[in-house]
């Protein structure tokens, strides 16, 4: 049974285990106790670091026994190399302080490089007085990108930290949390990618831009995936946020402001005006960012039914969107959907969607937001069939399918019903002859 398994593992670690009436465990540690250590022998003092891994391993098997077919959810604040196989981890009881926000970022980046992508730190701080409103907002604005997002505290001033306790700041907090839900298709896909090949969800800029020495000492700005540069505001009272845009290997690459689509060349530091609502984000050339077009409140009961994909097709790129039921092990039997989204940049920009797996997606409508500052398209096709072009924004929004060019954002916006099969979008940026037409 799970209890026997736990006891056997702990006895291997040299701890005498006593079970009380509540089936809780009381351990008496002997640091010099001899452990088997898979036949290699060692003392408890030497091998105690493995203890948390063994407990998480045991919990995984216990949950599988009690809830067969369901994925176990285990969370640890301690672990040795390999803990990511069994548990999500968090950074322990952090201190409520402006410095801690930056320390948390460095911790998550380091853990990601160590194989633990499923990681997060207590938002707002765990121990100390309740955070001031500005600090709490900034902590949430960073926390929405953390794989583990948890507001969790034991304040020393007899309060608890909750969003609704900051009435003058709650809208900024709500907006940030809503944005996390919007990003959930990308976050879930990056989590699956980390599961497959170990690539971190949060990457230090020096990891993505390894040939740029200016990134080597950067510990606050980070890449969410490969294409979204996050430059959170983490200084009290800051009104201007300096952001360094790393040098890219491809001279055709650019960075774009996520909100305005303003274009910036790599290899420079820009000064970004910020206020309490600001979450500075920059989209790298080649970006493919799937987001939920319908508003989500609970990922256990709601699905993305409208998929918005932000693209910057200056260079060839690809991204795999991952979907499954979110809680069972049926994905091991093929009940998943991997949609490879590949962009071929050029005068005729081609976006292909290639599906793998048997999971039935809930996505009914597709919306592509393609940054292209040079000019509007000539035409847009879905599987060779031309989509209607709308010059009037309202008529475009009312239509089931079609395309529109936003002069404000300098982007091509394409919408169509999800065909739920492999398909291709072609956007022509050819020059056309008005006189000839």
């Amino acid at each position: 049974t799970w209890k026997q398994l736990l006891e056997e593992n702990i006895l291997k670690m040299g701890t005498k285990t006593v079970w009380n009436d509540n089936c809780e465990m009381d351990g008496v540690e002997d640091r010099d106790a001899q452990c088997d250590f898979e036949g290699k022998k060692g003392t408890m003092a030497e091998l105690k670091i493995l203890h948390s891994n063994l407990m998480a391993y045991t919990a995984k098997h216990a949950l599988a026994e009690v809830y067969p077919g369901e994925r176990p959810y285990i969370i640890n604040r301690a672990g040795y190399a390999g803990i990511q196989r069994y548990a999500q981890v968090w950074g322990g009881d952090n201190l409520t302080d402006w410095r801690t926000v930056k320390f948390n970022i460095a911790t998550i980046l380091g853990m990601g490089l160590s194989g633990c992508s499923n990681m997060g730190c207590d938002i707002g701080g765990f121990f100390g007085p309740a955070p001031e409103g500005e600090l709490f907002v900034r902590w949430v604005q960073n926390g929405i990108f953390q794989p583990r997002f948890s507001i969790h505290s034991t304040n020393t001033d007899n309060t608890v930290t909750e969003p609704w306790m900051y009435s003058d700041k709650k809208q900024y907090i709500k907006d940030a949390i809503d944005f996390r839900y919007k990003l959930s298709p990308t976050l879930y896909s990056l989590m699956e990618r980390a599961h497959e090949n170990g690539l971190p969800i949060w990457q230090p800029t020096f990891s993505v831009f390894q040939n740029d020495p200016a990134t080597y000492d950067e510990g606050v700005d980070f890449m969410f995936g490969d294409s979204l540069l996050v430059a959170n505001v983490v200084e009290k009272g800051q009104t201007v946020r300096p952001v360094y845009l790393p040098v890219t290997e491809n001279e055709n690459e650019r960075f774009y402001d996520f909100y305005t689509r303003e274009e910036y060349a790599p290899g420079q530091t820009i000064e970004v005006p910020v206020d309490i609502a600001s979450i500075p984000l920059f989209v790298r050339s080649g970006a493919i960012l799937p987001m939920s077009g319908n508003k989500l409140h609970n990922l256990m009961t709601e699905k993305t039914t409208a998929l918005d994909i932000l693209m910057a097709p200056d260079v060839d790129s690809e991204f795999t969107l991952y979907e499954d039921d979110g809680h069972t092990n049926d994905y091991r039997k093929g009940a998943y959907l991997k949609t490879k989204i590949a962009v071929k940049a050029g005068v005729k920009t081609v976006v292909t969607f290639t599906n793998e797996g048997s999971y039935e997606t809930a996505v009914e409508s597709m919306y592509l937001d393609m940054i292209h500052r040079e000019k509007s398209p000539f035409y847009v096709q879905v599987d060779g069939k031309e989509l209607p072009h709308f010059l009037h924004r309202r008529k475009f929004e009312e239509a089931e399918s079609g395309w529109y060019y936003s002069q404000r954002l300098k982007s091509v916006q394409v919408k169509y019903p999800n065909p739920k099969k492999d398909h291709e979008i072609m956007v022509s940026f050819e020059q056309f002859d008005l006189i000839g037409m």
Side-chain angles (χ1 to χ4, degrees):
T1 67
W2 66 268
K3 179 179 172 182
Q4 291 171 325
L5 184 60
L6 180 60
E7 197 163 65
E8 287 168 7
N9 274 327
I10 292 173
L11 285 172
K12 286 180 183 178
M13 297 304 301
T15 301
K16 181 181 178 182
T17 305
V18 179
W19 294 90
N20 62 29
D21 291 340
N22 296 319
C23 268
E24 295 169 344
M25 181 177 65
D26 297 319
V28 180
E29 182 182 307
D30 180 354
R31 292 177 59 81
D32 296 321
Q34 289 294 307
C35 309
D36 182 74
F37 192 39
E38 298 180 352
K40 297 179 182 180
K41 303 298 180 184
T43 66
M44 178 64 187
E46 293 171 326
L47 302 175
K48 183 178 179 180
I49 195 169
L50 302 177
H51 196 170
S52 54
N53 284 37
L54 290 171
M55 292 189 75
Y57 168 86
T58 302
K60 179 180 178 180
H61 284 272
L63 288 168
E65 179 182 316
V66 177
Y67 303 103
E70 293 290 319
R71 299 179 208 175
Y73 175 63
I74 303 158
I75 180 164
N76 273 38
R77 69 173 178 181
Y80 186 65
I83 189 62
Q84 71 273 11
R85 291 177 292 180
Y86 313 120
Q88 181 188 72
V89 293
W90 95 96
D93 299 341
N94 56 5
L95 179 67
T96 304
D97 187 274
W98 277 95
R99 296 169 300 171
T100 306
V101 186
K102 290 180 278 189
F103 297 159
N104 287 172
I105 295 172
T107 298
I108 295 169
L109 291 173
M111 289 292 285
L113 292 175
S114 303
C116 295
S117 273
N118 196 352
M119 164 68 182
C121 298
D122 289 336
I123 308 304
F126 178 79
F127 184 80
E132 59 181 292
E134 181 188 0
L135 172 57
F136 187 49
V137 170
R138 296 308 190 197
W139 219 318
V140 170
Q141 289 171 341
N142 172 256
I144 62 172
F145 299 100
Q146 297 182 19
R148 175 187 183 266
F149 177 79
S150 177
I151 299 170
H152 178 54
S153 70
T154 175
N155 297 336
T156 56
D157 56 6
N158 297 331
T159 67
V160 290
T161 302
E162 296 290 357
W164 51 84
M165 299 180 71
Y166 297 82
S167 57
D168 61 331
K169 300 290 192 296
K170 65 178 182 294
Q171 189 59 49
Y172 307 118
I173 297 167
K174 181 181 184 301
D175 290 345
I177 294 174
D178 284 345
F179 186 56
R180 175 181 175 84
Y181 277 100
K182 186 175 183 66
L183 283 173
S184 58
T186 292
L187 178 58
Y188 198 56
S189 299
L190 291 174
M191 183 66 75
E192 198 280 334
R193 186 185 76 168
H195 166 72
E196 290 283 344
N197 59 28
L199 274 176
I201 295 170
W202 280 28
Q203 298 186 77
T205 54
F206 67 73
S207 177
V208 179
F209 306 97
Q210 298 184 19
N211 295 324
D212 183 358
T215 66
Y216 295 173
D217 294 324
E218 177 56 62
V220 175
D221 296 355
F222 60 91
M223 299 296 292
F224 185 70
D226 299 321
S227 302
L228 188 64
L229 175 62
V230 181
N232 284 120
V233 180
V234 292
E235 299 288 349
K236 180 179 173 61
Q238 195 165 29
T239 57
V240 176
R241 173 62 154 87
V243 180
Y244 178 68
L245 304 174
V247 175
T248 58
E249 293 185 19
N250 189 328
E251 62 181 12
N252 294 320
E253 288 195 39
R254 296 289 184 269
F255 285 92
Y256 301 94
D257 185 290
F258 180 88
Y259 309 98
T260 67
R261 311 296 166 77
E262 186 174 351
E263 179 181 341
Y264 299 97
Q268 63 170 321
T269 298
I270 61 175
E271 301 286 329
V272 182
V274 294
D275 58 24
I276 191 64
S278 299
I279 307 176
L281 302 172
F282 295 88
V283 179
R284 178 188 178 189
S285 288
I288 301 172
L289 293 170
M291 296 178 282
S292 181
N294 57 298
K295 197 167 185 177
L296 298 171
H297 304 88
N298 186 327
L299 297 182
M300 292 299 293
T301 59
E302 300 171 335
K303 300 287 186 183
T304 293
T305 56
L307 189 67
D308 291 359
I309 306 176
L310 176 59
M311 298 178 170
D314 306 329
V315 296
D316 296 353
S317 61
E318 62 180 50
F319 182 86
T320 299
L321 174 66
Y322 181 82
E323 301 171 77
D324 63 20
D325 65 20
H327 65 95
T328 74
N329 291 317
D330 290 349
Y331 69 94
R332 295 175 179 171
K333 305 171 186 176
Y336 62 83
L337 186 63
K338 291 183 179 180
T339 303
K340 180 181 175 182
I341 307 169
V343 173
K344 182 70 175 175
V347 174
K348 290 185 176 181
T349 297
V350 177
V351 185
T352 57
F353 295 81
T354 308
N355 297 314
E356 173 195 322
S358 62
Y359 181 73
E360 181 68 25
T361 181
V363 174
E364 298 295 336
S365 62
M366 305 286 288
Y367 190 103
L368 311 187
D369 187 352
M370 186 179 292
I371 301 171
H372 197 276
R373 298 188 63 83
E374 184 182 348
K375 59 184 175 181
S376 174
F378 185 10
Y379 59 87
V380 177
Q381 294 179 342
V382 177
D383 283 341
K385 183 179 179 181
E386 198 164 318
L387 288 178
H389 176 202
F390 292 90
L391 296 173
H392 195 294
R393 177 77 195 187
R394 180 177 57 80
K395 291 183 178 179
F396 168 69
E397 292 173 349
E398 292 172 350
E400 184 181 48
S401 61
W403 68 274
Y404 173 84
Y405 186 73
S406 170
Q407 289 286 4
R408 179 179 66 87
L409 296 176
K410 301 295 183 185
S411 72
V412 187
Q413 298 175 15
V414 182
K415 61 190 298 188
Y416 58 96
N418 185 13
K420 299 190 178 184
K421 64 181 181 64
D422 295 355
H423 63 283
E424 177 182 285
I425 307 296
M426 197 273 281
V427 182
S428 169
F429 293 104
E430 299 168 275
Q431 188 64 42
F432 59 91
D433 181 0
L434 287 174
I435 297 177
M437 289 179 66

